PDB file of all heavy atoms in Angstrom:
ATOM      1  N   LEU A  27      -0.956  22.457  -6.097  1.00  0.00           N
ATOM      2  CA  LEU A  27       0.326  21.737  -5.775  1.00  0.00           C
ATOM      3  C   LEU A  27       0.691  21.748  -4.365  1.00  0.00           C
ATOM      4  O   LEU A  27       1.136  20.703  -3.794  1.00  0.00           O
ATOM      5  CB  LEU A  27       1.470  22.446  -6.621  1.00  0.00           C
ATOM      6  CG  LEU A  27       1.514  22.145  -8.095  1.00  0.00           C
ATOM      7  CD1 LEU A  27       2.376  23.277  -8.817  1.00  0.00           C
ATOM      8  CD2 LEU A  27       2.116  20.831  -8.385  1.00  0.00           C
ATOM      9  N   ILE A  28       0.546  22.885  -3.729  1.00  0.00           N
ATOM     10  CA  ILE A  28       0.816  23.077  -2.268  1.00  0.00           C
ATOM     11  C   ILE A  28      -0.040  22.156  -1.471  1.00  0.00           C
ATOM     12  O   ILE A  28       0.406  21.449  -0.573  1.00  0.00           O
ATOM     13  CB  ILE A  28       0.667  24.564  -1.817  1.00  0.00           C
ATOM     14  CG1 ILE A  28       1.694  25.429  -2.553  1.00  0.00           C
ATOM     15  CG2 ILE A  28       0.784  24.634  -0.310  1.00  0.00           C
ATOM     16  CD1 ILE A  28       1.515  26.903  -2.362  1.00  0.00           C
ATOM     17  N   ALA A  29      -1.382  22.087  -1.778  1.00  0.00           N
ATOM     18  CA  ALA A  29      -2.297  21.328  -0.918  1.00  0.00           C
ATOM     19  C   ALA A  29      -1.962  19.801  -1.142  1.00  0.00           C
ATOM     20  O   ALA A  29      -2.061  19.107  -0.119  1.00  0.00           O
ATOM     21  CB  ALA A  29      -3.745  21.602  -1.365  1.00  0.00           C
ATOM     22  N   THR A  30      -1.704  19.371  -2.314  1.00  0.00           N
ATOM     23  CA  THR A  30      -1.404  17.932  -2.507  1.00  0.00           C
ATOM     24  C   THR A  30      -0.131  17.553  -1.720  1.00  0.00           C
ATOM     25  O   THR A  30      -0.059  16.501  -1.104  1.00  0.00           O
ATOM     26  CB  THR A  30      -1.207  17.615  -4.036  1.00  0.00           C
ATOM     27  OG1 THR A  30      -2.251  18.249  -4.768  1.00  0.00           O
ATOM     28  CG2 THR A  30      -1.216  16.160  -4.341  1.00  0.00           C
ATOM     29  N   ALA A  31       0.889  18.472  -1.860  1.00  0.00           N
ATOM     30  CA  ALA A  31       2.121  18.192  -1.090  1.00  0.00           C
ATOM     31  C   ALA A  31       1.833  18.141   0.384  1.00  0.00           C
ATOM     32  O   ALA A  31       2.348  17.270   1.176  1.00  0.00           O
ATOM     33  CB  ALA A  31       3.125  19.270  -1.389  1.00  0.00           C
ATOM     34  N   PHE A  32       0.906  18.919   0.871  1.00  0.00           N
ATOM     35  CA  PHE A  32       0.599  19.020   2.332  1.00  0.00           C
ATOM     36  C   PHE A  32      -0.080  17.689   2.753  1.00  0.00           C
ATOM     37  O   PHE A  32       0.459  17.034   3.698  1.00  0.00           O
ATOM     38  CB  PHE A  32      -0.333  20.177   2.572  1.00  0.00           C
ATOM     39  CG  PHE A  32      -0.994  20.241   3.914  1.00  0.00           C
ATOM     40  CD1 PHE A  32      -0.211  20.236   5.122  1.00  0.00           C
ATOM     41  CD2 PHE A  32      -2.405  20.055   4.034  1.00  0.00           C
ATOM     42  CE1 PHE A  32      -0.850  20.294   6.296  1.00  0.00           C
ATOM     43  CE2 PHE A  32      -3.021  20.041   5.315  1.00  0.00           C
ATOM     44  CZ  PHE A  32      -2.216  20.124   6.428  1.00  0.00           C
ATOM     45  N   VAL A  33      -1.067  17.270   2.000  1.00  0.00           N
ATOM     46  CA  VAL A  33      -1.845  16.037   2.464  1.00  0.00           C
ATOM     47  C   VAL A  33      -0.904  14.781   2.437  1.00  0.00           C
ATOM     48  O   VAL A  33      -0.858  14.026   3.385  1.00  0.00           O
ATOM     49  CB  VAL A  33      -3.091  15.896   1.537  1.00  0.00           C
ATOM     50  CG1 VAL A  33      -3.744  14.569   1.824  1.00  0.00           C
ATOM     51  CG2 VAL A  33      -4.072  16.952   1.753  1.00  0.00           C
ATOM     52  N   PHE A  34      -0.235  14.629   1.328  1.00  0.00           N
ATOM     53  CA  PHE A  34       0.613  13.449   1.188  1.00  0.00           C
ATOM     54  C   PHE A  34       1.859  13.596   2.053  1.00  0.00           C
ATOM     55  O   PHE A  34       2.392  12.547   2.471  1.00  0.00           O
ATOM     56  CB  PHE A  34       0.922  13.170  -0.234  1.00  0.00           C
ATOM     57  CG  PHE A  34      -0.229  12.580  -1.047  1.00  0.00           C
ATOM     58  CD1 PHE A  34      -1.154  13.470  -1.664  1.00  0.00           C
ATOM     59  CD2 PHE A  34      -0.354  11.253  -1.247  1.00  0.00           C
ATOM     60  CE1 PHE A  34      -2.226  12.997  -2.316  1.00  0.00           C
ATOM     61  CE2 PHE A  34      -1.435  10.664  -1.904  1.00  0.00           C
ATOM     62  CZ  PHE A  34      -2.400  11.577  -2.439  1.00  0.00           C
ATOM     63  N   GLY A  35       2.231  14.793   2.333  1.00  0.00           N
ATOM     64  CA  GLY A  35       3.412  15.006   3.167  1.00  0.00           C
ATOM     65  C   GLY A  35       3.142  14.682   4.615  1.00  0.00           C
ATOM     66  O   GLY A  35       4.079  14.232   5.305  1.00  0.00           O
ATOM     67  N   ILE A  36       1.921  14.758   5.053  1.00  0.00           N
ATOM     68  CA  ILE A  36       1.581  14.489   6.398  1.00  0.00           C
ATOM     69  C   ILE A  36       1.940  12.910   6.665  1.00  0.00           C
ATOM     70  O   ILE A  36       2.499  12.549   7.701  1.00  0.00           O
ATOM     71  CB  ILE A  36       0.054  14.655   6.711  1.00  0.00           C
ATOM     72  CG1 ILE A  36      -0.270  16.178   6.680  1.00  0.00           C
ATOM     73  CG2 ILE A  36      -0.296  14.122   8.073  1.00  0.00           C
ATOM     74  CD1 ILE A  36      -1.702  16.500   6.838  1.00  0.00           C
ATOM     75  N   VAL A  37       1.599  12.122   5.614  1.00  0.00           N
ATOM     76  CA  VAL A  37       1.893  10.684   5.757  1.00  0.00           C
ATOM     77  C   VAL A  37       3.398  10.407   5.897  1.00  0.00           C
ATOM     78  O   VAL A  37       3.778   9.636   6.715  1.00  0.00           O
ATOM     79  CB  VAL A  37       1.337   9.992   4.506  1.00  0.00           C
ATOM     80  CG1 VAL A  37       1.629   8.484   4.582  1.00  0.00           C
ATOM     81  CG2 VAL A  37      -0.099  10.300   4.287  1.00  0.00           C
ATOM     82  N   ALA A  38       4.211  11.174   5.150  1.00  0.00           N
ATOM     83  CA  ALA A  38       5.650  10.936   5.172  1.00  0.00           C
ATOM     84  C   ALA A  38       6.348  11.593   6.353  1.00  0.00           C
ATOM     85  O   ALA A  38       7.220  11.037   6.932  1.00  0.00           O
ATOM     86  CB  ALA A  38       6.256  11.408   3.883  1.00  0.00           C
ATOM     87  N   PHE A  39       5.848  12.851   6.745  1.00  0.00           N
ATOM     88  CA  PHE A  39       6.656  13.617   7.629  1.00  0.00           C
ATOM     89  C   PHE A  39       5.928  13.894   9.001  1.00  0.00           C
ATOM     90  O   PHE A  39       6.522  14.392   9.919  1.00  0.00           O
ATOM     91  CB  PHE A  39       7.069  14.948   7.091  1.00  0.00           C
ATOM     92  CG  PHE A  39       7.842  14.807   5.826  1.00  0.00           C
ATOM     93  CD1 PHE A  39       7.239  15.153   4.593  1.00  0.00           C
ATOM     94  CD2 PHE A  39       9.192  14.461   5.812  1.00  0.00           C
ATOM     95  CE1 PHE A  39       7.935  15.033   3.347  1.00  0.00           C
ATOM     96  CE2 PHE A  39       9.872  14.313   4.651  1.00  0.00           C
ATOM     97  CZ  PHE A  39       9.308  14.608   3.437  1.00  0.00           C
TER      98      PHE A  39
END
Side-chain angles (χ1 to χ4, degrees):
Chain A
L27 285 162
I28 294 171
T30 316
F32 167 63
V33 171
F34 286 83
I36 293 175
V37 182
F39 303 106

